[in-house]
Amino acid sequence: MSDPHDSHESDEQERETFSHDPIGHAEVRAGMTVGDLADEYGAAGVGAADLHEAVDITESMFDDDVTVFFGLAGAMVPTGMRRIVSDLIREGHIDVLVTTGANLTHDAIEAIGGKHHHGAVHAEGKTEREHDETLRDEGVDRIYNVYLPQEFFATFESHLRDEVFPVLEAECEESGAVSIQRLTEELGRANAEVNERDEIDEDAGIAAAAYESDVPIYCPAVQDSVLGLQAWMYSQTGPFTLDALGDMTALTDIAYYADEAGAFVVGGGVPKNFTLQTMLVSPDAYDYAVQLTMDPKQTGGLSGATLDEARSWGKLEKDAENVSVYGDATITFPLVVAAALERLEE
């Protein structure tokens, strides 16, 4: 008669992909830190496990020897994530920033004294359309549940025309078109100077931090924003113009000479692909990558493309450490960064 225990061991030996690693049950308690919570996530499954892995990889990326390319899409500035990015730049955890003209527009508005405000998707007694029609009449732009009074765009236009564009126009007059990165650099300088001069209560922000820290900002789709629209309008009456290809050499050189490289990608769109495609002309690829997204992969679009798919293109090393976390980035981004920074301080 066979021993049942021997049969059980035999069954386990046939499970090639199985390992004895039971799911733990997360403990939450008063007084725990964000790092403690991220550790508890590691015992759990599904998205919690992914977020825990993102903290691990982010901690490795924030090492001094890793060149970090940071892609920032979506409405991250108007929804309150601005200071996290500017602090990461100032603390030396971001070496290259790729973002949208929209985020740079909203960043500058805050730098020169404008504010975004809590709002609502619906108004009592009105349909969403009726609510938005009222906002239109009152001169208020809505970004989901965030409001921005339109007069701040007028202030932003004046800021560009008085503080930013004239310097670049002089450079164009002397040597031709300037790069988009040169535009973002000048925007950062102007934001910092006006913020200090006018004693603005709010921090000078992302572009200012990048300017002060010698971190380049690339904005490959700058035309798709109020910043780009204003740049085009200004170009109609003078020699100021932008060179869309002017950034490519400097950006690819950073990737080419990086000993180790990491990509931290918030959202999809142009910033994500522009960040990842940089490695296509480099002998190496990203060693680390974290993606925070809500986009599904089934459409085949780059916003939803997995980091594993990027490996097939040679954008990630075959043995790269990477993870995608699915969820609202205004929730996941602060958690991942706070937990990673906590570990680095231990």
Side-chain angles (χ1 to χ4, degrees):
M1 185 173 180
S2 62
D3 186 340
H5 182 70
D6 292 339
S7 175
H8 177 67
E9 288 184 349
S10 175
D11 289 343
E12 286 195 354
Q13 290 173 355
E14 294 173 5
R15 296 170 175 167
E16 295 181 4
T17 62
F18 178 82
S19 61
H20 187 71
D21 186 15
I23 290 291
H25 296 282
E27 176 191 359
V28 293
R29 58 191 180 277
M32 68 191 309
T33 66
V34 177
D36 293 336
L37 181 60
D39 289 342
E40 292 295 324
Y41 278 15
V46 195
D50 292 336
L51 191 138
H52 176 267
E53 187 176 0
V55 174
D56 288 343
I57 297 172
T58 301
E59 179 187 6
S60 298
M61 269 201 288
F62 284 174
D63 184 274
D64 290 339
D65 295 327
V66 179
T67 301
V68 177
F69 293 71
F70 193 95
L72 186 69
M76 296 301 284
V77 170
T79 53
M81 302 292 109
R82 177 176 181 257
R83 183 169 178 175
I84 301 174
V85 180
S86 60
D87 283 349
L88 286 175
I89 292 171
R90 291 190 176 101
E91 292 164 8
H93 297 308
I94 294 176
D95 299 290
V96 174
L97 177 64
V98 181
T99 191
T100 62
N103 273 319
L104 291 176
T105 296
H106 292 286
D107 175 59
I109 285 172
E110 294 261 352
I112 62 177
K115 290 300 294 182
H116 299 82
H117 298 266
H118 289 284
V121 178
H122 298 281
E124 187 175 353
K126 294 183 178 181
T127 66
E128 187 170 342
R129 174 169 177 163
E130 290 169 339
H131 175 48
D132 287 322
E133 289 174 350
T134 300
L135 290 175
R136 169 73 173 271
D137 293 339
E138 294 179 354
V140 176
D141 296 324
R142 180 171 71 87
I143 307 168
Y144 190 61
N145 59 0
V146 174
Y147 291 164
L148 178 63
Q150 289 179 1
E151 58 265 28
F152 291 139
F153 284 113
T155 306
F156 175 60
E157 178 183 356
S158 298
H159 176 62
L160 293 175
R161 289 180 171 272
D162 296 343
E163 309 287 346
V164 180
F165 291 155
V167 176
L168 299 173
E169 185 175 36
E171 293 177 14
C172 289
E173 215 164 15
E174 183 175 328
S175 55
V178 297
S179 70
I180 297 171
Q181 189 273 324
R182 179 70 189 96
L183 167 63
T184 64
E185 179 182 45
E186 191 61 23
L187 179 65
R189 178 205 60 78
N191 290 355
E193 288 188 6
V194 171
N195 184 271
E196 182 177 5
R197 182 191 70 203
D198 295 349
E199 299 181 340
I200 305 299
D201 289 337
E202 187 57 65
D203 180 79
I206 295 171
Y211 170 75
E212 293 163 353
S213 305
D214 293 322
V215 170
I217 298 178
Y218 298 103
C219 185
V222 68
Q223 302 95 323
D224 184 30
S225 65
V226 172
L227 172 60
L229 187 63
Q230 289 296 331
W232 169 74
M233 292 172 65
Y234 193 84
S235 74
Q236 301 305 293
T237 57
F240 168 66
T241 189
L242 297 173
D243 179 0
L245 299 178
D247 293 334
M248 299 303 291
T249 299
L251 174 62
T252 54
D253 280 351
I254 296 171
Y256 192 93
Y257 292 109
D259 292 329
E260 284 191 295
F264 195 113
V265 181
V266 180
V270 173
K272 174 186 176 181
N273 186 61
F274 198 73
T275 298
L276 294 179
Q277 77 168 16
T278 300
M279 289 300 171
L280 292 178
V281 291
S282 173
D284 300 311
Y286 283 112
D287 302 283
Y288 307 95
V290 170
Q291 173 178 245
L292 309 180
T293 184
M294 292 180 69
D295 296 305
K297 61 185 178 182
Q298 287 84 354
T299 62
L302 285 171
S303 287
T306 64
L307 294 175
D308 290 318
E309 180 180 303
R311 181 179 281 106
S312 76
W313 289 75
K315 298 172 183 177
L316 269 65
E317 294 287 358
K318 287 184 177 180
D319 61 352
E321 297 180 33
N322 63 274
V323 66
S324 294
V325 179
Y326 292 88
D328 181 345
T330 63
I331 299 171
T332 59
F333 178 46
L335 285 173
V336 170
V337 171
L341 293 178
E342 184 178 320
R343 289 185 184 180
L344 290 171
E345 291 180 357
E346 291 178 351

